[in-house]
Amino acid sequence: MENKSYSDDDVELRKRPINGNATDEPRVVIVEDTAKLKKSVGIISGISFIVGSVIGSGIFISPKGVLQETGSVGLSLIVWGSAGILSLLGSLSYAEIGCVVKKSGGEYAYIDAAMGRLMAFMFAWTKIIVLTPSSVAVISMTFASYCVTFFPYCGEPQVPLKVIAALAIVTLTIINCYDTRAGASVQVFFTAAKLLALVIIIVGGLVRLGQGNTATMKSGFDGTIGTASGVALAFYDALWAYDGWNTLNYVSEELKNPYVNLPRANVIGVLLVTILYILTNISYLVVLGIDGLLDSDAVAVTWGDDVLGAAGVIMPIFVMCSTFGAANGALFAGVRTLYAAARDDQFPEVLSYVNCKRYTPIPCLIFTSLVALLMLIPGDIGSLIDFFSFASWMFYALAIISLFILRWRLPDAHRPIKIFILLPVIFLACSLYLVVAPIVQDPRLEFLYAFLFMVGGLLFYIPLVHFQLMTGRFDAVTRFLQKIMEVVPSPYEEPDFG
């Protein structure tokens, strides 16, 4: 589509169907043309989005939760490997359903196809208002906390932290608004940086291991805590370190040759992270020992001081690269849920519009970034994510149930990958456990508040989405936003997955 500029005469009100039903309410559209997101994500950038989104700050700062709960080197490494295998089962399941439901939006698209608009809205409501912006805000705050270590401050000043975090969010928003390929390139670059950091850590550990530092590894299963609850909590910590394995499913419509690249990127990305996590933990244990790892609040920095000496200053820089890349992945993929939901009239349709020159979803990027910036104002955003953590696993479970429903409803649909039924069943059982486990083990009133927030979305869904009471009420706002952002409708077109 050629780049075009639009005048006031190009914008007019006209009747159009909503959800397949004709309506007399006027809607604002650009009559001249429509636009859609470009296929700019290949196999390398796809793997980078998965690896870059999974590997955040945790593996560099404090990967000690698993070791605390298991008590031994042997069992902790088994848990890290098993969590990676479980994530692989999830990524394989998502690869199958992603090739059947070809829309962007991840769980939103799958739940909508199998269970209907109401359940899909509840996911979108939680994802758009809480999960995505809070994740971007927290990761940006971690990035800022490492930036300020290069400057002398008295105490722990919050203002510089929040200013740097806000600048990071604004920078990422500008990059992704400017060009989708730029966002993908940023992800590739920062993923390469964090992989380089992990390779340095792994090589350093192997060198120490070759020098005879084998005492920690020889301890094997000594000190193992054999309680079921301890192992369960260790799995919970490890699985959260793998969160982000489903990133690529959010951008299905922008993926080149999805039938091939979606399964390949999902499998390669998760396997790569699993291997890196195991080898990195081995290096930490060889260099620092069990006590040193448990006592450190920033394991990679402590490792760098021990192995690299004065050159250890590069570790905080690598952590900054890792968090910046993770924030970019969270923003890039997260806004696609809003894009898909708004396109289906679950949210204001203008939020699904795409810039007619750069083919980027500017309205939904700006909306998500504004919510993330607002979340920087209060104190502890991390607690907000903790209380909504069970919601993520609940929606993973619903996506797997959607896979089963679609197998039953669409038995003849083209499935370039169809996994053995036991694999998604295992993942579903683990997902349901991770929904219930934190509530049973530590029942707190905040979990009820989180659940009420999700159900509270019905207060908006019933009048505004189901009965469409606000249809046509904001045409002037839509017209204004179309003019200043140069955005046009982006209707769904069945992609060519061949």
Side-chain angles (χ1 to χ4, degrees), residues 6-8 11-13 28-30 350 353 362-363 366 474-488:
Y6 296 95
S7 65
D8 291 350
V11 183
E12 68 175 28
L13 294 175
V28 176
V29 296
I30 297 290
V350 69
Y353 285 8
I362 291 179
I366 292 176
F474 295 98
D475 286 340
V477 176
T478 301
R479 189 197 306 270
F480 174 73
L481 292 176
Q482 284 190 269
K483 291 178 179 178
I484 64 170
M485 296 183 186
E486 295 185 310
V487 292
V488 295

Side-chain angles (χ1 to χ4, degrees), residues 131-148:
L131 295 179
T132 295
S134 62
S135 178
V136 172
V138 167
I139 298 172
S140 299
M141 283 292 287
T142 305
F143 169 80
S145 68
Y146 272 80
C147 282
V148 299

Side-chain angles (χ1 to χ4, degrees), residues 310-390:
V313 70
I314 65 173
M315 281 302 157
I317 297 175
F318 278 131
V319 175
M320 289 167 55
C321 291
S322 181
T323 51
F324 194 80
N328 182 68
L331 181 65
F332 186 98
V335 299
R336 268 53 180 182
T337 298
L338 176 55
Y339 166 79
R343 187 174 57 185
D344 292 341
D345 290 306
Q346 298 264 39
F347 285 78
E349 189 186 20
V350 69
L351 294 175
S352 71
Y353 285 8
V354 171
N355 184 271
C356 60
K357 296 180 178 178
R358 303 193 178 279
Y359 309 106
T360 54
I362 291 179
C364 66
L365 279 164
I366 292 176
F367 177 87
T368 302
S369 299
L370 288 176
V371 178
L373 290 171
L374 290 174
M375 287 187 170
L376 293 177
I377 298 174
D380 187 10
I381 318 168
S383 61
L384 180 68
I385 293 181
D386 291 338
F387 297 132
F388 277 88
S389 62
F390 76 96

Side-chain angles (χ1 to χ4, degrees), residues 2-23:
E2 296 180 357
N3 293 344
K4 299 181 180 181
S5 58
Y6 296 95
S7 65
D8 291 350
D9 294 334
D10 294 324
V11 183
E12 68 175 28
L13 294 175
R14 73 177 184 188
K15 298 178 182 178
R16 61 175 293 200
I18 302 177
N19 301 326
N21 299 319
T23 176

Side-chain angles (χ1 to χ4, degrees), residues 96-98 100-101 109-115 399-413 415:
E96 176 183 329
I97 195 172
V100 176
V101 181
Y110 311 147
I111 295 171
D112 182 44
M115 302 181 185
I400 300 302
I401 293 173
S402 298
L403 182 149
F404 298 142
I405 293 174
L406 293 176
R407 278 195 180 187
W408 173 62
R409 285 185 184 172
L410 305 172
D412 298 325
R415 290 177 171 85

